[in-house]
Amino acid sequence: MKTIRIRKFTILCLFIILIFPWIFYVGAHFLETKSFNLGIQANSKMTQIIAVITGLLLAFLIVAYAMRRYILIPLEKMSAGVRKIAEGDLDIQLPSSKISEIAEVHDGFHVMVDSLKKAYQKQVELEDERRFVIAAVAHDLRTPLFALRGYLEGLEQGIADSPEKQVKYLQVCKEKSAQLDRLVEDLFTFTKTELLEMEFNENTVDLSIVLQKSIDSVSLLAHQKQISIIVYQLGEECVVIGDSHLLERAMNNLLDNAVRHTPCHGEIFVECYKNGNNVTFTIKDTGEGFSSDELQRVFEPLYRGEASRNRLTGGVGLGMTISKRIITQHGGDLAAANHSDGGALLSGWIPLANCSFYSHT
């Protein structure tokens, strides 16, 4: 729709107000004298005066109609629309106008309403996710808590009447408390990375050293399952900018996931090396790999596959989500796939320290 600037519109209105009386005056003069020669005296000036007044009134009527239609009515409707937006009604139709300034305000309101709708939808999604997280975590916390309480009551009531049973009961209690600790830590980290504006402790971090620490942390669990962790290469000076604690948490989650889903006597292969301006890392296991559905949803909060990746393996289903978000918040990315030789393949990258997105913020 073609529009006109309000300055041009005002000049046009003034032109109409000035030209219409003159046109009516000339027309009346012609009716009196049958000539356009204004030097000829008319028999009566009354006709010209009435014509000038009529032309002036008509000009005012035309200008008033144009101003009401193109300025006043759109502004009134826009004011009513703003009040509806303030009341929370985002499904409004704002009027258009041929005045450029009003049309620009109209377009600005449309952009604002669209942004508000998206923000509201995002808020609804976050609220639904928050409720889902709370419900799922409460469900997952209940199982080890009930088991822990049951075994503690068994110890208190003397059901474990032999040293062997007491050791077994204490071992189960220890495992359940460790599971509870992992659930709470996952939830806490997820909350910080997703729902809060978390400030990173930005330092130079050697990712290969972080990976080695993570390997050491899961080595006991891997040894219990007789799983070999084979390090192809941990490149030197794989230095990135970020939070070493969060990065170690991300790598711990990935390696813990690999150990838990690798069968006994399996193998896990770890790499970390410089690749152009990035540090690339890969973790490959010899498990069953991901199903097609898991590949699409593996990084969704609280998602766990029906078969190999389920609650029986421990965790609340936030580990992969947490790792993904930590890596992306450090300017990189994390992807899941199946290796051609079988098994799950997790690969990611983070910008090198001299190329990090932190240096631009």
Side-chain angles (χ1 to χ4, degrees):
M1 181 180 66
K2 292 184 178 180
T3 60
I4 182 174
R5 307 298 296 185
I6 196 168
R7 183 180 298 176
K8 292 182 179 179
F9 179 79
T10 303
I11 294 173
L12 181 61
C13 290
L14 291 174
F15 177 76
I16 291 174
I17 292 173
L18 293 175
I19 199 64
F20 266 54
W22 176 251
I23 292 174
F24 274 65
Y25 173 79
V26 173
H29 182 80
F30 176 77
L31 292 176
E32 287 284 330
T33 63
K34 304 300 180 183
S35 173
F36 287 108
N37 187 354
L38 299 180
I40 300 176
Q41 295 294 325
N43 296 329
S44 174
K45 293 290 185 180
M46 185 59 64
T47 303
Q48 287 90 338
I49 293 173
I50 293 174
V52 169
I53 294 175
T54 303
L56 188 62
L57 290 174
L58 182 61
F60 275 117
L61 287 174
I62 293 173
V63 170
Y65 173 78
M67 291 184 66
R68 176 171 173 75
R69 179 177 179 181
Y70 298 118
I71 296 179
L72 296 180
I73 291 178
L75 287 177
E76 289 174 358
K77 291 183 177 179
M78 204 165 291
S79 176
V82 170
R83 287 194 293 271
K84 289 183 178 180
I85 293 174
E87 294 171 357
D89 183 8
L90 301 181
D91 296 323
I92 60 171
Q93 295 294 329
L94 295 175
S96 59
S97 175
K98 290 188 177 181
I99 304 299
S100 298
E101 288 80 357
I102 298 179
E104 290 171 359
V105 174
H106 169 271
D107 295 339
F109 270 111
H110 264 297
V111 173
M112 182 187 70
V113 169
D114 291 341
S115 299
L116 286 174
K117 286 182 178 178
K118 292 178 181 178
Y120 178 74
Q121 182 63 32
K122 181 65 175 178
Q123 182 181 359
V124 171
E125 292 175 357
L126 286 175
E127 182 65 19
D128 290 341
E129 182 174 311
R130 183 186 66 84
R131 292 175 180 174
F132 182 55
V133 167
I134 291 174
V137 170
H139 178 273
D140 283 351
L141 287 173
R142 187 185 300 119
T143 302
L145 277 174
F146 283 172
L148 185 60
R149 185 175 64 182
Y151 279 95
L152 288 175
E153 288 177 353
L155 287 171
E156 183 182 29
Q157 296 171 6
I159 297 176
D161 52 4
S162 67
E164 292 79 10
K165 282 187 177 182
Q166 291 175 359
V167 170
K168 180 181 177 181
Y169 274 43
L170 289 173
Q171 182 63 32
V172 172
C173 290
K174 184 177 179 181
E175 291 175 358
K176 296 303 177 183
S177 63
Q179 187 177 355
L180 285 171
D181 181 69
R182 185 166 64 248
L183 291 172
V184 173
E185 183 66 21
D186 279 351
L187 179 61
F188 181 64
T189 306
F190 173 78
T191 303
K192 288 199 300 182
T193 57
E194 176 64 11
L195 303 179
L196 301 178
E197 293 293 334
M198 183 175 56
E199 295 183 0
F200 291 131
N201 296 320
E202 298 177 17
N203 296 297
T204 55
V205 181
D206 192 329
L207 197 61
S208 62
I209 296 177
V210 171
L211 263 172
Q212 185 60 60
K213 290 181 179 179
S214 299
I215 292 171
D216 294 340
S217 69
V218 300
S219 59
L220 179 60
L221 179 60
H223 178 72
Q224 291 174 352
K225 297 180 65 175
Q226 298 182 351
I227 295 173
S228 300
I229 299 179
I230 301 172
V231 180
Y232 276 149
Q233 58 176 327
L234 292 180
E236 297 180 355
E237 298 182 357
C238 294
V239 179
V240 300
I241 298 294
D243 190 311
S244 59
H245 173 72
L246 286 177
L247 288 173
E248 187 172 346
R249 182 63 194 276
M251 299 306 163
N252 283 348
N253 288 344
L254 298 179
L255 285 166
D256 180 72
N257 183 78
V259 172
R260 286 190 289 112
H261 300 117
T262 299
C264 294
H265 307 287
E267 294 177 324
I268 297 174
F269 304 93
V270 180
E271 285 184 285
C272 180
Y273 54 91
K274 286 198 292 186
N275 183 16
N277 294 327
N278 302 319
V279 175
T280 300
F281 61 91
T282 62
I283 298 173
K284 174 186 173 299
D285 63 50
T286 55
E288 297 181 0
F290 297 102
S291 67
S292 57
D293 183 59
E294 287 172 335
L295 284 175
Q296 296 176 0
R297 304 180 58 190
V298 65
F299 295 114
E300 289 184 12
L302 306 174
Y303 175 74
R304 281 162 295 194
E306 296 296 331
S308 60
R309 286 166 167 77
N310 55 33
R311 285 182 171 85
L312 297 178
T313 61
V316 72
L318 292 174
M320 298 292 283
T321 305
I322 291 170
S323 295
K324 172 83 169 180
R325 289 174 181 172
I326 290 175
I327 298 301
T328 54
Q329 287 173 348
H330 281 77
D333 198 10
L334 180 66
N338 288 320
H339 196 270
S340 57
D341 297 333
L345 174 63
L346 296 169
S347 58
W349 60 270
I350 298 176
L352 282 166
N354 57 348
C355 305
S356 175
F357 78 115
Y358 287 105
S359 61
H360 304 290
T361 58

